[in-house]
Amino acid sequence: MPSKYSRFDRDALRLLPLSERRSLLGVDVVAAPTASECVHPAFERVAEALGEARRRGAARILMLGAHVLRSGMQRYLFDLMEQGYVDCVAVNGACAIHDFEFALAGRTTECVATYIAQGQFGLWRETGRLNDIVAQGVADGLGFGEAVGRHILESGLPHADLSLFARAYALDIPVTVHVGIGYDIVHEHPNCDGAALGRASYDDFLIFAHAVQRLEHGAVMNFGSAVMAPEVYLKALAMARNADQARGDGQGIRRFTTLVCDMHELPEDFGVEAPRTSAAYYFRPWKTMLVRTVADGGRSYYVRGLHAQTIPQLWTALNGG
């Protein structure tokens, strides 16, 4: 029996080329790694944890919001991956869009206020190619991140050298993309296949959960993701601990390090979660990544600052600056 509800007719949409869009960021925003003059003590401790994790072969997981790429931190991340301090990257759908647009056109980020008023926000023809890339990846048995990285690298896009996805693909490091349907501009496009997006992103979730199974003596870092990172990490950790207990080998996943870098002001004693009556209680990285999941043997660190400040400090700490 068909649905009794009407659906939006995507054939009515008008897509325009990226050449007609005013983009707010160009590849000139991508910075060359430079040592920071001052390094927060937390980054020294995290650097030690990452070094130990690398020696043990434990997970070194980096979780990102899209503003990390918009802040031009790509080359810092490349170096961390190449040195073995990161062996899994988890991102949201917006990261894939900005990474692809940078690689394809050398520019990204539209003025939302301008284009939503014009009814054109997100409806740019070339960006919609991501939908076809993901669908082809699913047909080939790939997850979302692997499909995008493969395409950018093998298609020789003009700025592929600045693509996080392409660099990770070349290094055999998974980039897992965790999307919510309707969150991203490519979901507006007529060629968007919801089944393919769901398949690709769920495969990435399983790849991520597999990485979390190696988290004992490892580290998880979250730069600027208030919802995706803590929620995906929480479910994957539950799965990993459940499977570990089912095996009954007594190893456990308890002794690991978490780092959160964001702009929220947290109290000095962030090891105790905020009361339910406080708005801060609903800042998921705090209660999930800094308190609850490390309560039985882990260590957590929080640094407040812009990505263009915190990532260079981490990089400096790892490079003996």
Side-chain angles (χ1 to χ4, degrees):
M1 182 177 178
S3 171
K4 60 184 178 181
Y5 302 116
S6 300
R7 289 170 171 77
F8 184 89
D9 178 11
R10 297 185 298 180
D11 291 337
L13 291 169
R14 179 187 66 161
L15 303 182
L16 294 180
L18 271 175
S19 60
E20 295 187 20
R21 186 184 81 185
R22 177 175 173 265
S23 298
L24 303 179
L25 295 173
V27 291
D28 58 324
V29 74
V30 179
T34 304
S36 298
E37 293 184 4
C38 297
V39 175
H40 192 287
F43 290 122
E44 302 287 356
R45 305 289 81 78
V46 172
E48 293 172 1
L50 287 169
E52 179 66 14
R54 185 177 64 173
R55 286 189 291 274
R56 289 176 175 266
R60 289 90 68 198
I61 298 172
L62 177 63
M63 308 189 79
L64 305 176
H67 278 275
V68 173
L69 301 185
R70 291 171 56 172
S71 298
M73 295 294 99
Q74 286 87 329
R75 289 193 174 103
Y76 288 94
L77 304 186
F78 297 168
D79 195 57
L80 297 186
M81 293 190 295
E82 288 163 359
Q83 292 191 64
Y85 291 120
V86 171
D87 70 354
C88 179
V89 182
V91 303
N92 57 19
C95 279
I97 291 168
H98 290 305
D99 191 81
F100 179 69
E101 287 191 346
F102 264 140
L104 176 67
R107 53 197 178 91
T108 190
T109 306
E110 59 192 299
C111 178
V112 177
T114 296
Y115 289 113
I116 193 63
Q118 298 175 3
Q120 197 59 48
F121 172 64
L123 293 163
W124 310 102
R125 190 174 299 127
E126 292 88 343
T127 307
R129 285 169 50 187
L130 268 175
N131 290 321
D132 298 327
I133 292 166
V134 172
Q136 183 59 56
V138 169
D140 295 340
L142 308 183
F144 197 128
E146 188 176 5
V148 174
R150 179 185 70 172
H151 178 85
I152 293 174
L153 188 66
E154 295 183 353
S155 297
L157 297 188
H159 302 281
D161 61 313
L162 296 179
S163 166
L164 175 66
F165 284 70
R167 185 64 60 93
Y169 181 80
L171 294 170
D172 296 328
I173 292 174
V175 175
T176 60
V177 184
H178 307 273
V179 303
I181 300 298
Y183 285 9
D184 301 317
I185 59 173
V186 292
H187 304 166
E188 304 172 42
H189 289 233
N191 68 335
C192 182
D193 182 340
L197 285 179
R199 177 74 265 171
S201 193
Y202 190 70
D203 282 350
D204 276 8
F205 175 63
L206 296 181
I207 292 169
F208 179 80
H210 180 71
V212 171
Q213 288 185 288
R214 297 184 293 106
L215 189 53
E216 179 73 353
H217 301 296
V220 178
M221 300 171 285
N222 172 13
F223 286 83
S225 176
V227 178
M228 179 281 293
E231 292 303 312
V232 169
Y233 155 75
L234 180 65
K235 280 71 171 186
L237 181 60
M239 294 163 67
R241 283 177 168 170
N242 182 283
D244 182 74
Q245 291 174 6
R247 287 195 304 269
D249 56 14
Q251 294 297 310
I253 305 175
R254 302 184 304 276
R255 296 172 291 274
F256 57 88
T257 298
T258 63
L259 167 69
V260 174
C261 294
D262 214 301
M263 290 299 294
H264 287 260
E265 286 196 41
L266 302 191
E268 186 174 343
D269 182 17
F270 56 77
V272 177
E273 64 185 66
R276 290 177 180 269
T277 54
S278 167
Y281 174 81
Y282 300 96
F283 178 52
R284 289 172 171 84
W286 181 0
K287 64 184 178 183
T288 298
M289 304 192 78
L290 300 177
V291 182
R292 293 178 178 178
T293 58
V294 294
D296 53 354
R299 296 173 298 172
S300 63
Y301 300 93
Y302 180 74
V303 180
R304 182 173 182 265
L306 299 169
H307 301 314
Q309 300 166 339
T310 56
I311 288 178
Q313 288 185 58
L314 174 63
W315 181 88
T316 301
L318 286 165
N319 286 278

